[in-house]
Structure formats: C-alpha cells, structure tokens
Amino acid sequence: GPCLTPHFNEAGLAADQIAKMLEERSPGQGRGTVTHAGQVGVMLKKDMIRDICRFLHDEPSIRMDHLADLTAVDYSAYPGDTGPRFEVVYNLISTVYGHRIRLKVRVSDEEPRVDTVTAIWQTANWHERETYDLMGIIFNGHPDLRRILLSEDWVGHPLRKEYPLKGY
C-alpha cells in the first residue's frame, strides 16, 4: 500500500531561515527570535498573528500545515519579567518538509486578547477553547469560545498564578 510516513523534502527550510523570512516580510514588526532547547521561537506583535500564520500555512516553501499545540504562559510570578503578563505560544509543524517553529505573542492582563487562527487550522478551535478555559485568554473571532474542560459556571481560570491551589 501507499507509504504513510511523511516524506521530508530535502528542500525544507531551517527554522532560522523561516524566522528571517518573517522579518523580511514585516520589517520592524517582530519582537526578536529566541532559540530554546534547539527550537526557534519568533516573538511577534499580537496584531500580526493571523497574517503571519496564514503566510506560514500557505507559503509553498514553508507549508506549516499542522498546528501541533497552542497554549499560554502566565509570567506574573516570574521575577524580572517586564513584558505583558501572558504569552500565547503556537507550535507549528510542516508535515510536508518536517520543519517546525514556535510563535509567541504577549497579551496584557487588562486586554488578554488575540485573534483566532481557527480559519487556518481547524484544530485551533479546541486549543483556543482550552487556553480560554484555563488561562482566560480571549480569541477574537473564535466561532464558539466557551469552556471545554470546566463547567460553564466555573469561576476563574485555574492556570493563572493567582488561582488558589485548592480552588476558590
């Protein structure tokens, strides 16, 4: 039968090349590139996330066709962190080429909002609902933004740092 193993094209770009393409595409719009545990992460302004994700998905030389994960981090308890409180993290993979990249955007405590990417990857629907449920991040334009793990009447977002370990 047909081979079900993804074929990793030798022409696949390295993550740092993709990061450079993003910088060239939107000069001055990025917030920098960081490498952690061998994975390249690109910091972006939050209003760019949908356009950048669409580009990464559609660009023939990149083809980030799989949103592996979308989550958030609460930096309020990190000493010395001066950025907006929350970081929304997108882990993207190309099953075509085998490359991966991590995108990050920071959102404030006062305005914990970022645009949905559900029109690009359907699986974002579930990831964004979980991130909303546990962290309180609101995804603008999400088709059905409601709790996914906790009951509708649950108070608060249990992965936020101020949430008591035993609940309210």
Side-chain angles (χ1 to χ4, degrees):
C3 178
L4 298 178
T5 310
H7 173 69
F8 294 142
N9 185 333
E10 292 302 315
L13 299 169
D16 56 349
Q17 292 175 287
I18 297 169
K20 186 181 279 189
M21 287 174 78
L22 292 180
E23 177 55 36
E24 289 166 0
R25 182 176 170 77
S26 309
Q29 294 301 299
R31 301 268 193 220
T33 303
V34 292
T35 303
H36 178 72
Q39 188 171 0
V40 174
V42 179
M43 298 290 299
L44 300 169
K45 293 181 179 174
K46 73 174 187 171
D47 58 355
M48 298 176 55
I49 194 64
R50 193 168 23 206
D51 288 345
I52 291 295
C53 284
R54 173 57 68 195
F55 167 73
L56 291 172
H57 180 273
D58 292 355
E59 167 57 41
S61 67
I62 300 175
R63 290 290 311 276
M64 291 295 184
D65 56 345
H66 181 59
L67 173 65
D69 190 31
L70 185 164
T71 189
V73 179
D74 180 351
Y75 277 97
S76 64
Y78 284 64
D81 185 83
T82 57
R85 178 175 176 180
F86 300 105
E87 183 174 85
V88 184
V89 183
Y90 304 75
N91 286 300
L92 310 179
I93 296 174
S94 170
T95 64
V96 179
Y97 298 119
H99 50 226
R100 57 178 61 222
I101 198 164
R102 179 179 292 135
L103 304 178
K104 300 176 175 192
V105 297
R106 294 291 284 261
V107 297
S108 69
D109 196 11
E110 303 76 39
E111 188 80 10
R113 297 178 162 273
V114 65
D115 290 338
T116 184
V117 293
T118 51
I120 303 167
W121 302 283
Q122 282 190 322
T123 188
N125 188 321
W126 302 93
H127 291 304
E128 290 176 356
R129 282 181 60 192
E130 181 183 39
T131 303
Y132 162 72
D133 195 1
L134 300 178
M135 292 290 272
I137 308 294
I138 297 163
F139 293 87
N140 302 323
H142 189 285
D144 187 23
L145 194 62
R146 59 192 165 91
R147 291 191 182 272
I148 192 170
L149 298 171
L150 303 170
S151 61
E152 284 293 327
D153 59 354
W154 193 275
V155 176
H157 304 282
L159 290 187
R160 287 187 171 196
K161 296 295 184 191
E162 77 277 2
Y163 196 87
L165 288 176
K166 295 184 177 178
Y168 288 115

